[in-house]
Structures are given as structure tokens and as C-alpha cells.
Amino acid sequence: MENRLIASSSPHIRADESVNKIMRDVVIALLPATLAGVYFFRMGAVKVILAAVIAAVLTEAAIQKICKKPVTINDWSAVVTGLLLAFNVPASAPWWIPVIGSIFAIAIVKQVFGGLGHNFMNPALAARAMLLASWPVQMTAWVKPGVDAVSTATTLGMLKEGTGEVLPSLGDLIIGNVGGCIGETSALLLIIGGIYLVYRGVITPRIPVIYIGTVAVLMLIFGGFDITYMLTHVFAGGLMIGAIYMATDYASSPVTPKGQIIFALGCGILTAVIRKFGGYPEGVSYSILVMNVVAPLIDKYTSPRVFGEVK
Amino acid sequence: MSLLSFRGGVHPPHYKEATERCKVEKAKEPTRVVIPLQQHIGAPCEAVVKVGDKVKVGQKIGEAKAFVCAPVHSSVSGEVKQITKMLAPTGEAQCVVIESDGLNEVHESVKPKGDLANLSAKEIIEIVKEAGIVGMGGATFPTHVKLSVPPDKNVDTIILNGAECEPYLTADHRLMLENPESIVFGLRAMMKGTNVSKAYIGIENNKPDAIESMKNAAKEYNEIEVVGLQTKYPQGAEKQLIYACTKREVPSGGLPMEAGVIVNNVATASAIGNAIKTGMPLIERICTITGKGIKEPKNLLIKVGTSIKEIIEQCGGYNGTPGKLILGGPMMGHAQYTDEICSTKGTSGILVFTPEEARLPEPKACIRCGKCVEICPAFLQPIYVSAYSLNNMYDTAEKYRALDCIECGSCSFICPSKRPLLQSIRVAKREIIAKKRKSK
């Protein structure tokens, strides 16, 4: 036989899955909420989203070029990071805020630690925390949905401060017709995206369901069994985007099923405690960041029982 | 019908359409056979014929000298031309080359063994051993060893594996449709040989006709239960199949016997049935020849020792340039670098890929998606075992229980980054076992 046969070891077939497909699915899942953000916050949202995504992709390409690594911007992962970061920024922010955030997320949080899969924190969240600490005014200049960009407080802010403003109705909260970050507002569309991700096998419902469930139960208790208070906490702020899209980040969450349960419980408890007793009205990003750091430890102590193993 | 299953596993495409409706045809008589004296794990056989000897069909040509060994027999009548080291599917092995005289004269020792009712357990196991019967699912482990239950072990169940969970393969499927009685007869012989009163025949539910056929053949026997299994890979893996049927877990590092179960392939049962009814030892088997690289995919009854090249020629030859030649299925089969080799008792499939299908994917960085952990049927964490293996940290890989890997390949299959998970875990297993041997 003249031609060469390839003699590799088994298995000889591979699933039709790839990093590109997974990341593209995340972008698809985020699209409805992106469009809603643009609908509610108009040009402000367009500006922030474009700035964040473009900066993220360019930073990734530049660093990989400089380090003489293969450029992998076509795997969509930088797009996801940019988009998630934009979701965490108010529409009124100047264009350089998301740009700095994206550069930080990709250059410092992702590439310094080895690139895709090696970041120990969610890059978009770490960047948000950095931005919030550095430019607190720009990062909390919330506006009401609509063309006029009337400034407002977030729903959780109103709850925390007790300003006496009329809280938005639950209906508005679920649809997203409220003040807040670009992508945090529409709980409904974020959930639809999440269902798409579960359907496509990109994520399991484990982390989002347990995370949101924990917050719901604790808020029910903290609020003296006030259902409206509890539902407001579930649908307002960053819980949906955090639980569905950020806490499920592969690189910075545990891989063992049991570990994911503990991780999600931890996120939920921290979020509820920060919101109720902490200084911030919102607690999702810090909760996830803290749990990101302990994720490797959780993985280590939650090795599954091997088939046939007697412990 | 409620379906039995195990936890974990993957869903590769079936690819069985090409041959699942093809009746088993008898392959052309080979003019020359090359029969390896070692076809399985364990000790090789010793040749009991010399160059120049005349042999007949069913005549023993290799004698088992150790316990974990099964004798081999001539599949043709003719003259022994050579006894030499040659390339066999499992590597180099001593082979007996026989030129057929085309007469297919049957050896005198081949005669019916009488009624099952009159055979004792010991006699049955002796027949199985003398007939050179091995596990025909691919591993070719000597069957009499499995059936010889030590007195301190309590075995109460036999499971016949008709799952055929490997994509592409349809040999067992066709056997269950075309010769179910022989399978049931062989199973009853095994039950008698091991004094077991309960048996399952597990079949994946993508073969409803096979389930029907086996139910029909076993309907007189209440102790034999035909069960539908969820179609999922590796449903036919021994430990997973035992769990699916009995909900028992084989202890880590242990044999199925320790869970009170013996598992055999349906083709093995049929071979036992044949050995008792006609006295003919294991000299031929059904094999699925398929894949995009084959012109006319078929299920053929081929004699042990037939050249793979000749078999492929009978199936219309290669469809364009072949890219990969696999003996067995695509998940666990062995890729060969040449078609100038012979078939063995374990050749359940001959699969040919096009160069396009054979191309190895470029591995990318692990994104820690955890899919390998989610699907591992042995509940390992392939992500970590593999990472430690690739960093030469075999001790840590052992702590992550590399030795419990059943090498089903589900992790490598599912990995979106196309990482060589199983491939690297295999390396770790080999290193760990080598180290253990040395320290002994």
C-alpha cells in the first residue's frame, strides 16, 4: 500500500463540539438581552457595547501577537468577555470606561495567567470590580430607560437607601424597563438565553438554579417572608446575569458536580449577606469573585466517588 | 419498556445504517490463512504442528500451556507452510501459515458433544476451553477462565452483552436476528457450567428487532430475561452493563465475579452453542466491514486468519484512498498501519475512514468546561488525570485514580478542545503499572 494510514490510539471519532461553538452559543444566548439593552438605553448602550467588544478583541489579538502565540480571536471568547463587561456598565458611562475595563479583563486577568481556560477569576467581573473602585461616579451614573437619559437609582439602591422613591413594578423588573447596567435589566431575556445554553449543553442548570434559589430563600427569610421583597431581589440587579453567565464561567468555577453545588451555594449566601448587611446595594460580582478564588480548593475536596470505590 | 442504564456516557452518532440490514454472508474461502498463536492478553499458545504437516478444519494447531490461554485451531484444511513471527492485529506474534487445499476436510475430533442435559458443569467448561473460545467483543479474554469460578466466589448472574454500543458495528445485531437460538443455547450451557440460575441479555434499544428476536428465542426459559438498554456509549462496557442490569457496582480494581456476575458477549455464547452442538471450535466469526472508505459495506462470516486485504477486496475494495484502518469499533478499536494482516477471533469490525475523517484534530487549550467529568462512566476527573500525566506527575495521577479508567474514550470524544485525554491517561496507567511491577 503506497499511501500512509494514520495509526493513532482510540477513540477515532470526536464529538462535533468545539470551543468556537460553545463561545458562539454564549454570544447567541446574550443577544436578546443585548438588543433589549439597546432598546432601553439607545445610543448610550450601543457605544458602550461596541467599545467593550472591540477593545477586548483587539487587546487579545495584540497580546497574542506580541507574545508570538497563535492569535485565537476567532474563538469568540474575547467577544464574550467584552459583551459581559458591557453588560455590567451603565449606558451613561463615557466610551473609555469599557475600553479600560476590556483591556484590564483580557490583558491582566486572562492573558497574564495563561489565556483561555487559565484565568482564576471571571475576567469581566474582575474588570467591573476594578472599574467600580477606580471610577465610582461614572460606574454608578444610572439612567432611566428611554431617550432622555434621566438619572435614577437602581432598584436595589432604592431598596437599600430607603429613598422613598416608588419601586418599579415586578413586571417592569422582569422585562427590564428599569434603571441599571445595560445587560442587568431584563431578567426574562437573560433567563431565555440561559435556557438556550442549557438546551445546547453549554452549561448545566446546577449553578444558576442553586445560586438564584439560595438568594431567594435567604431574602425571603431576611425580608420577613415578604414575597414582593424576595422577588424584587431575585429579578433586580445583577443576579440573573451573574448566576447564568458569570458564575458558570468554566475556567473560574469548579468542574466536579458536588463542587459546583457548593460553589453556587457560597455565591448565593454571600450575595444575600452583602445585599442585606453589607455596604453595597449589590453583591453579585464580589460574591462570584470570592468564590472564584476558592474554586480550586472546592474542586480538590469534592472529588467524586469513583465507580466501584468503597469509601 | 423501562430502559436500564448507567450514569455518565456519551451519544456518538450510530453510523450503523450502512450494514444493519445486510444479512451475514459467508466470505470467500481464503487460499491461505495466517493464524496468530497469541490472540489475547495472557500466555501465547505453543504450536503443535510442524511445517509440512497436513491439517484439517478444526484441528488444534496451538496448545494452551497456561491457564489464562485458549488454544487455536486451523480454519482450513491444507498444509502448514510456515511458523514464524509476523505482524498480527495486536502486534508481532508467532503465526502459523496454512495453505488451503480448498477441500475443507473436517478433523476427526470435531463431533457433537451430546445433549446439554447429559453434560456436567466440568465437561461444559472443558468443551469451552478446548474449543478455544474467547470473548468475541474484542478483548478476546479466554472464556473458560471467566467461567471457572473459584469456590470462594459466589456468582449468581450471567449477563450476555448484546449492547453493541460501538458505532458502525452490526455483527452482534445480525447474529441476534439470524441465529438467536444458538445464543440462547450457549447461554444455557454457560448457566449450567457455572451453576447460575439467573441471566440477562442486555440489548440497546436502537435495535428493537434484535430485542424482539431474542425475547422470542428465550421465551421458554423464565430464568433468562431480555432487557432493553438505553442507547448510550459505553453501555456494553462490562462494569457499566452489570450496573445497568443488576444495579451492582464491581469493586474498584476487582473482577465482575466479585459482584457475583459473569459477562459474556452474545457472539461468545453463540460460539459455545456451536461448539457443543457441532463440536466445531472457534474458527470463524461475523465481522462488520464498513465505513466511508469501503465501497460495499457488508457483514461477513470470516475464517480466523483471513487476510484483511482480501476481505476488503470482497467488499468492493477501498472507496478512494483509505485514511485509517481500524479493527474493532471507532471508540475502542485498534488502528492499523497496514492491511497486510490477518483477522483474529476478536475482529468484530473492519472500519475504513477516508483521509478526511482520519485527520487528527488539533488539540487546543483546556477551557475547564468539565464535560469530561460530567460524562466519565467511571466517575473519574479526566481533566486532572490527564493534566498530571502530561506533566509526568504519575503519582498524583494515581491518586486521582487513573487505574480505574476503563479506557472507553468518552472523555476524548466529548472534549470541545479535542484534547488527548484518554491517550494521556493511558500513558499514566502504563507508567503506574510499570512502577508497581518494579517495586514488587
Side-chain angles (χ1 to χ4, degrees):
Chain A
M1 195 182 291
E2 297 105 67
N3 70 291
R4 283 170 52 165
L5 289 172
I6 293 176
S8 59
S9 74
S10 65
H12 306 288
I13 49 173
R14 301 298 189 95
D16 188 24
E17 292 205 40
S18 67
V19 178
N20 299 23
K21 267 194 183 162
I22 290 174
M23 294 299 165
R24 204 168 51 211
D25 270 339
V26 178
V27 174
I28 292 171
L30 287 170
L31 267 186
T34 310
L35 293 177
V38 171
Y39 171 77
F40 288 128
F41 300 112
R42 313 295 153 106
M43 284 319 284
V46 174
K47 173 193 68 192
V48 169
I49 291 170
L50 282 180
V53 171
I54 292 170
V57 173
L58 288 183
T59 311
E60 178 129 307
I63 289 181
Q64 288 175 331
K65 266 258 149 64
I66 293 166
C67 299
K68 301 199 165 60
K69 284 199 221 162
V71 175
T72 58
I73 48 171
N74 59 356
D75 71 7
W76 292 82
S77 67
V79 177
V80 170
T81 302
L83 198 53
L84 282 176
L85 176 74
F87 273 30
N88 280 290
V89 173
S92 63
W95 64 272
W96 50 266
I97 286 267
V99 169
I100 292 177
S102 280
I103 293 173
F104 179 82
I106 299 288
I108 308 292
V109 190
K110 186 177 173 188
Q111 290 298 340
V112 163
F113 291 94
L116 187 65
H118 296 288
N119 47 291
F120 73 106
M121 276 184 177
N122 184 316
L125 270 188
R128 186 215 186 165
M130 185 276 288
L131 291 173
L132 193 62
S134 310
W135 293 278
V137 179
Q138 286 88 337
M139 283 297 286
T140 53
W142 317 109
V143 287
K144 279 201 173 126
V147 258
D148 313 328
V150 181
S151 70
T152 179
T154 62
T155 313
L156 290 176
M158 297 176 199
L159 260 184
K160 185 94 190 169
E161 307 300 329
T163 51
E165 272 181 272
V166 184
L167 287 175
S169 70
L170 275 178
D172 274 344
L173 265 181
I174 291 170
I175 295 169
N177 192 19
V178 290
C181 292
I182 294 171
E184 282 185 348
T185 54
S186 177
L188 180 68
L189 295 178
L190 291 171
I191 291 172
I192 290 175
I195 291 171
Y196 173 76
L197 289 184
V198 170
Y199 166 72
R200 296 281 292 170
V202 174
I203 61 171
T204 63
R206 221 174 275 137
I207 291 179
V209 168
I210 294 174
Y211 187 172
I212 296 168
T214 309
V215 172
V217 169
L218 288 177
M219 281 307 173
L220 196 62
I221 297 168
F222 291 164
F225 296 94
D226 178 347
I227 299 282
T228 318
Y229 178 83
M230 183 271 275
L231 288 177
T232 307
H233 267 290
V234 167
F235 291 115
L239 184 59
M240 287 298 160
I241 181 122
I244 301 173
Y245 302 91
M246 313 271 225
T248 53
D249 173 33
Y250 290 151
S252 52
S253 63
V255 293
T256 63
K258 219 196 286 168
Q260 291 177 354
I261 294 171
I262 296 171
F263 175 85
L265 276 173
C267 286
I269 294 168
L270 284 174
T271 301
V273 168
I274 294 175
R275 280 186 181 182
K276 181 71 188 171
F277 306 105
Y280 283 104
E282 177 61 282
V284 171
S285 25
Y286 291 113
S287 311
I288 298 176
L289 288 175
V290 168
M291 292 311 290
N292 282 167
V293 178
V294 288
L297 213 62
I298 297 177
D299 250 353
K300 194 172 170 187
Y301 290 105
T302 53
S303 290
R305 183 193 67 94
V306 170
F307 186 91
E309 181 188 7
V310 193
K311 263 194 177 164
Chain B
M1 184 171 57
S2 72
L3 291 173
L4 303 174
S5 196
F6 62 100
R7 212 180 84 205
V10 292
H11 295 275
H14 302 171
Y15 299 121
K16 292 184 193 266
E17 306 75 24
T19 53
E20 66 188 354
R21 284 187 190 81
C22 300
K23 274 210 161 141
V24 177
E25 297 168 46
K26 227 171 147 54
K28 251 196 340 234
E29 273 302 318
T31 50
R32 173 177 173 266
V33 290
V34 178
I35 301 176
L37 289 169
Q38 178 165 31
Q39 306 199 7
H40 51 75
I41 332 167
C45 290
E46 240 166 67
V48 290
V49 287
K50 300 185 303 295
V51 174
D53 279 3
K54 297 272 180 213
V55 292
K56 291 180 180 167
V57 178
Q59 183 178 342
K60 193 187 280 180
I61 55 171
E63 179 68 272
K65 294 282 176 190
F67 179 59
V68 186
C69 184
V72 289
H73 305 80
S74 176
S75 53
V76 294
S77 64
E79 192 186 320
V80 177
K81 285 288 175 191
Q82 251 183 315
I83 300 176
T84 178
K85 265 217 152 88
M86 291 174 84
L87 188 66
T90 45
E92 277 223 321
Q94 195 76 7
C95 294
V96 179
V97 182
I98 303 165
E99 204 162 82
S100 171
D101 56 14
L103 301 174
N104 273 334
E105 259 181 90
V106 175
H107 194 250
E108 304 74 47
S109 64
V110 178
K111 46 181 181 276
K113 308 289 180 194
D115 213 7
L116 189 54
N118 301 329
L119 291 170
S120 72
K122 220 171 152 193
E123 283 169 326
I124 292 171
I125 293 178
E126 193 55 30
I127 294 169
V128 170
K129 184 179 174 195
E130 281 305 302
I133 290 169
V134 296
M136 290 168 78
T140 59
F141 188 77
T143 303
H144 71 270
V145 180
K146 276 191 183 178
L147 297 182
S148 307
V149 185
D152 60 322
K153 294 274 186 309
N154 183 22
V155 168
D156 58 6
T157 308
I158 290 185
I159 299 175
L160 278 198
N161 186 355
E164 202 161 53
C165 59
E166 276 272 10
Y168 288 100
L169 304 189
T170 54
D172 290 348
H173 184 180
R174 290 313 304 180
L175 176 69
M176 289 188 280
L177 290 182
E178 296 177 30
N179 210 351
E181 292 81 18
S182 171
I183 298 172
V184 172
F185 184 78
L187 173 59
R188 284 173 50 229
M190 274 192 260
M191 292 171 76
K192 188 155 187 211
T194 50
N195 194 23
V196 162
S197 55
K198 176 76 198 171
Y200 295 94
I201 304 175
I203 305 165
E204 279 192 346
N205 71 326
N206 62 350
K207 300 177 264 290
D209 49 351
I211 297 177
E212 202 49 45
S213 158
M214 290 312 301
K215 273 197 171 149
N216 218 6
K219 66 171 180 263
E220 291 167 49
Y221 309 104
N222 288 330
E223 64 280 14
I224 300 175
E225 192 180 335
V226 179
V227 290
L229 308 169
Q230 194 192 332
T231 303
K232 185 166 76 168
Y233 181 86
Q235 193 64 263
E238 201 166 54
K239 294 179 179 184
Q240 279 58 37
L241 183 65
I242 293 171
Y243 182 79
C245 291
T246 66
K247 295 288 166 284
R248 295 183 202 163
E249 281 190 19
V250 177
S252 160
L255 292 170
M257 234 175 237
E258 283 159 64
V261 184
I262 293 172
V263 181
N264 275 297
N265 189 271
V266 285
T268 312
S270 174
I272 293 175
N274 205 29
I276 294 173
K277 274 188 184 157
T278 67
M280 186 57 83
L282 180 50
I283 55 154
E284 57 187 2
R285 66 158 299 142
I286 304 172
C287 171
T288 304
I289 301 98
T290 186
K292 264 196 198 153
I294 295 280
K295 275 221 179 96
E296 301 158 27
K298 280 179 183 167
N299 292 306
L300 290 181
L301 182 66
I302 55 176
K303 284 192 163 171
V304 171
T306 313
S307 142
I308 300 288
K309 195 176 177 177
E310 278 178 40
I311 298 169
I312 290 172
E313 275 161 17
Q314 283 180 54
C315 297
Y318 292 112
N319 195 3
T321 317
K324 200 179 215 178
L325 169 68
I326 300 158
L327 295 189
M331 294 300 285
M332 290 187 81
H334 297 282
Q336 306 292 329
Y337 62 83
T338 169
D339 58 4
E340 314 249 338
I341 42 169
C342 56
S343 72
T344 65
K345 297 173 186 175
T347 310
S348 52
I350 300 171
L351 181 55
V352 178
F353 280 178
T354 61
E356 177 68 21
E357 292 171 308
R359 218 181 36 227
L360 295 173
E362 189 68 38
K364 299 222 174 83
C366 170
I367 55 169
R368 285 179 46 88
C369 65
K371 281 185 200 287
C372 54
V373 181
E374 203 84 40
I375 56 86
C376 177
F379 312 160
L380 300 176
Q381 300 171 77
I383 175 176
Y384 292 128
V385 186
S386 161
Y388 289 122
S389 172
L390 291 173
N391 283 311
N392 301 327
M393 294 163 70
Y394 302 119
D395 291 343
T396 322
E398 192 186 356
K399 279 196 198 109
Y400 276 86
R401 310 199 65 114
L403 293 183
D404 281 286
C405 171
I406 58 168
E407 305 195 20
C408 67
S410 297
C411 51
S412 291
F413 171 80
I414 202 79
C415 180
S417 288
K418 317 287 169 203
R419 297 193 60 75
L421 290 164
L422 170 59
Q423 291 82 348
S424 56
I425 294 172
R426 263 199 203 111
V427 172
K429 283 180 78 173
R430 209 151 298 156
E431 293 288 331
I432 294 165
I433 292 170
K435 200 179 153 196
K436 284 203 166 155
R437 279 226 184 96
K438 227 186 249 169
S439 66
K440 253 181 203 163

